Amino acid sequence: AQSVTQLDSHVSVSEGTPVLLRCNYSSSYSPSLFWYVQHPNKGLQLLLKYTSAATLVKGINGFEAEFKKSETSFHLTKPSAHMSDAAEYFCVVSPKAAGNKLTFGGGTRVLVKP
Amino acid sequence: EPEVTQTPSHQVTQMGQEVILRCVPISNHLYFYWYRQILGQKVEFLVSFYNNEISEKSEIFDDQFSVERPDGSNFTLKIRSTKLEDSAMYFCASRRQGQNTDTQYFGPGTRLTVL
């Protein structure tokens, strides 16, 4: 079984300041982990993924995430928020197997203030 | 860059009516999925489809739901007799076959409203 908890449903940051979105996961096997972003009226876009290579993963638009097995965490960060980062972010876990249904966290809505 | 597309973007229907949600996956992808998100709730897995058959389905995916790949490009989700609780955003996703190909690419979603 697998589950994902995003610890903050809403995060508000000022433009130019760091963003931290927290994610903890539970999985009975070594999983793949993803962050997806959803802008208003758009589909889910892949930001980055971890699949057991480097534990620090770099994604698009300056985002990165660090896989910490001991803490079962996969937090997403960006050093400097931009207005265009306002969106909903989903942490997702998947088994490394054929079929691989995704299990989503509840999402974190990011507000960026000018 | 190839994308997953979904039609319609918004569907309004009366309770008890049948609806068909349509998806065009990325052309060289072989695994297909449907997910849904009820307003205010998590995105939930419904069904996965490979080689013209269902490979996994959730408890939500009961006899009222069916999926089909009617031709080489479309992937459809049918709800036979809609209920109020079927109102949700429905997302289609697709994935390539092969090693290191577990990334699923999502469409923009169809918002289904059942009245």
Side-chain angles (χ1 to χ4, degrees):
Chain A
Q2 52 193 19
S3 67
V4 182
T5 302
Q6 290 181 243
L7 292 101
D8 306 292
S9 59
H10 293 81
V11 166
S12 180
V13 298
S14 297
E15 191 176 20
T17 64
V19 183
L20 169 64
L21 305 184
R22 298 181 294 166
C23 171
N24 286 98
Y25 71 93
S26 169
S27 179
S28 50
Y29 34 70
S30 181
S32 293
L33 292 157
F34 307 81
W35 277 97
Y36 282 86
V37 60
Q38 185 180 27
H39 288 93
N41 301 315
K42 299 283 188 184
L44 294 158
Q45 180 186 17
L46 180 70
L47 270 181
L48 51 79
K49 67 175 182 179
Y50 166 79
T51 53
S52 79
T55 55
L56 184 63
V57 182
K58 293 189 185 299
I60 62 171
N61 301 336
F63 285 94
E64 61 181 38
E66 187 171 9
F67 173 71
K68 291 187 177 180
K69 186 175 180 179
S70 59
E71 298 176 11
T72 60
S73 69
F74 191 56
H75 301 334
L76 181 71
T77 60
K78 182 172 180 177
S80 176
H82 191 271
M83 295 299 292
S84 61
D85 295 327
E88 186 149 25
Y89 293 78
F90 295 94
C91 183
V92 179
V93 65
S94 163
K96 292 196 184 95
N100 80 323
K101 71 176 187 185
L102 302 182
T103 299
F104 282 73
T108 299
R109 189 168 293 280
V110 173
L111 172 67
V112 182
K113 297 176 289 188
Chain B
E1 186 176 324
E3 293 181 333
V4 176
T5 60
Q6 291 185 242
T7 54
S9 57
H10 193 184
Q11 172 99 42
V12 181
T13 189
Q14 296 291 325
M15 191 169 56
Q17 295 295 304
E18 173 183 287
V19 295
I20 297 176
L21 310 183
R22 302 182 192 279
C23 169
V24 179
I26 294 172
S27 64
N28 63 345
H29 287 191
L30 298 178
Y31 291 87
F32 312 113
Y33 306 83
W34 283 101
Y35 294 82
R36 79 172 185 190
Q37 185 180 29
I38 295 171
L39 190 63
Q41 298 185 22
K42 290 187 178 186
V43 177
E44 305 170 286
F45 167 79
L46 290 178
V47 65
S48 59
F49 190 86
Y50 171 70
N51 200 25
N52 281 320
E53 60 183 29
I54 290 173
S55 45
E56 188 174 359
K57 60 183 181 180
S58 71
E59 293 175 354
I60 303 165
F61 196 88
D62 61 21
D63 292 345
Q64 291 299 311
F65 291 87
S66 62
V67 288
E68 191 179 29
R69 188 149 163 85
D71 53 44
S73 59
N74 289 283
F75 179 52
T76 62
L77 174 69
K78 182 193 291 186
I79 308 175
R80 282 184 241 290
S81 177
T82 49
K83 308 183 190 70
L84 295 175
E85 55 265 36
D86 294 327
S87 294
M89 180 72 90
Y90 288 81
F91 294 104
C92 173
S94 69
R95 177 173 74 87
R96 288 189 293 127
Q97 181 176 27
Q99 284 190 331
N100 300 318
T101 59
D102 53 358
T103 300
Q104 294 181 25
Y105 295 87
F106 284 80
T110 293
R111 182 170 297 284
L112 176 65
T113 303
V114 181
L115 302 176

